[in-house]
Amino acid sequence: MLKQIQGLHHVTSMARDAQENNDFFTKTLGLRRVKKTVNFDAPDVYHLYYADEVGLPGTVMTYFPFPNIPRGHPGTGEVGTTVFSVPEGTLGYWQERFAREGVSDVGADELFGQKRLTFKGPDGDGFALVETKDDTRPPWSKADVPADEAIRGFHSVSLRLKDGGATEELLKFMGYEDVDRSGNVKRLAVPGGGNGASLIDIETIPGGDRAAQGAGSVHHVAFAVEDRAKQLEVRKALTDTGYQVTPVIDRDYFWAIYFRTPGGVLFEVSTNEPGFDRDEDTAHLGEALKLPRQHEHLRTMLESHLQPIKD
Ligand code: ZN
């Protein structure tokens, strides 16, 4: 069993409209845009990162806004709900805020004894806020959401699978342990969960149709490891177990490896180093368009092609 995984690093999803996406995360949810760059594999598409003040692993929600792609159809083999942590007693604030901002499909429920507010993103993305005791992660405090109510980072993701068994086994190999079960949902946690985003839920829907990915779908879930040495240990262990893992890829703000899981969800393992301040001052994170070295020669073309984003 691996000991290197510290919890979630980031969650990456797809959207249709960069401006709408930016406004939802920075204004409605009050996160900080910590990086404005492009999809390294398709540089005519943005890669936008929303997080806490500095983009600590476990707080980072990222998007590829592909203009005009169709909406995804939710189903099995994907992340069903991405869940953020908020302080106890704040869901009333968020419910009022969401009503005022016209957020869709807002509903209240409880899972494993924790109160949740479920809601949809601009492309039907499945989200929830959950009240968490003792989440000491400092929030981004310069948004419109007061610090006492603000999002602290990820709480969990819920994987919606036809058959959760093999993915559960994989997560246990990655260091996760059983926490609880409620109906068709199993909760696992990585012990110690250093970065606060330590939980994964597996929701099993045996008769469910497979998802068709599109705008509003999660593209992949990334798990955090401290550094490149730890990442190589994880890569070797996964490869030895029979997983097809990509080589280590430099994503400028972290190093990444990717592999497809038995339930269909794409997993990534990312390093905490070097972080989002490697090419910008903390005070100005996310303001300028940052391009990786290999695409810098395309800057003029990209700046005129990419949809301008008004903050
Ligand atoms: Zn990623």
Side-chain angles (χ1 to χ4, degrees):
M1 198 180 86
L2 298 173
K3 303 241 182 268
Q4 295 88 342
I5 307 275
Q6 299 173 328
L8 298 173
H9 184 287
H10 63 269
V11 176
T12 294
S13 294
M14 295 176 284
R16 276 183 303 191
D17 186 271
Q19 184 71 57
E20 184 180 54
N21 182 255
N22 181 78
D23 292 350
F24 186 75
F25 285 93
T26 61
K27 299 191 170 118
T28 306
L29 294 186
L31 300 182
R32 183 182 197 190
R33 192 178 72 225
V34 293
K35 198 60 66 182
K36 181 164 73 170
T37 182
V38 294
N39 181 327
F40 287 15
D41 304 316
D44 57 337
V45 173
Y46 277 123
H47 195 178
L48 304 174
Y49 291 75
Y50 309 105
D52 67 351
E53 183 178 10
V54 293
L56 280 184
T59 74
V60 187
M61 182 77 221
T62 98
Y63 270 86
F64 300 131
F66 290 97
N68 307 316
I69 54 163
R71 258 199 190 188
H73 292 284
T76 58
E78 66 174 359
V79 172
T81 313
T82 303
V83 187
F84 296 99
S85 162
V86 293
E88 278 199 301
T90 62
L91 288 187
Y93 165 84
W94 283 101
Q95 196 151 14
E96 270 175 37
R97 184 177 179 83
F98 285 174
R100 208 166 53 235
E101 303 261 337
V103 174
S104 56
D105 291 25
V106 180
D109 65 9
E110 208 171 299
L111 187 63
F112 299 112
Q114 291 179 306
K115 282 191 202 155
R116 309 197 309 169
L117 199 62
T118 54
F119 60 103
K120 293 283 202 297
D123 295 300
D125 330 44
F127 290 119
L129 299 178
V130 61
E131 290 190 356
T132 312
K133 238 191 243 177
D134 308 324
D135 188 338
T136 55
R137 292 176 289 179
W140 171 233
S141 58
K142 292 188 182 144
D144 180 46
V145 179
D148 285 349
E149 276 91 13
I151 288 174
R152 266 46 188 175
F154 291 122
H155 166 272
S156 58
V157 290
S158 177
L159 311 178
R160 194 167 43 209
L161 305 176
K162 224 177 169 73
D163 174 3
T167 302
E168 182 183 334
E169 235 175 80
L170 165 65
L171 283 164
K172 287 180 175 169
F173 179 71
M174 290 167 66
Y176 280 77
E177 293 176 355
D178 284 323
V179 175
D180 210 345
R181 168 190 272 279
S182 169
N184 65 334
V185 183
K186 274 199 104 169
R187 173 159 288 182
L188 295 101
V190 68
N195 65 4
S198 59
L199 299 174
I200 302 272
D201 289 343
I202 298 179
E203 185 189 2
T204 302
I205 305 178
D209 285 334
R210 203 174 156 77
Q213 296 244 301
S217 308
V218 171
H219 185 269
H220 63 267
V221 179
F223 296 85
V225 291
E226 191 57 41
D227 55 27
R228 297 185 74 187
K230 295 270 194 306
Q231 184 180 51
L232 288 176
E233 291 168 15
V234 171
R235 186 177 185 282
K236 181 171 186 323
L238 288 168
T239 306
D240 288 350
T241 313
Y243 283 95
Q244 301 283 324
V245 187
T246 66
V248 176
I249 302 172
D250 182 359
R251 295 304 191 196
D252 276 13
Y253 311 105
F254 47 87
W255 280 273
I257 55 175
Y258 303 84
F259 60 106
R260 187 68 62 179
T261 62
V265 181
L266 183 63
F267 277 7
E268 173 183 335
V269 176
S270 313
T271 58
N272 294 347
E273 56 173 2
F276 293 93
D277 58 356
R278 75 172 278 279
D279 60 358
E280 282 177 304
D281 285 346
T282 304
H284 296 285
L285 283 177
E287 292 176 10
L289 177 66
K290 291 295 180 186
L291 298 176
R293 206 174 342 135
Q294 65 270 29
H295 297 320
E296 192 57 56
H297 68 284
L298 301 172
R299 178 172 286 279
T300 311
M301 186 275 281
L302 291 174
E303 280 177 346
S304 64
H305 170 90
L306 288 163
Q307 177 188 354
I309 297 174
K310 282 194 219 79
D311 291 312

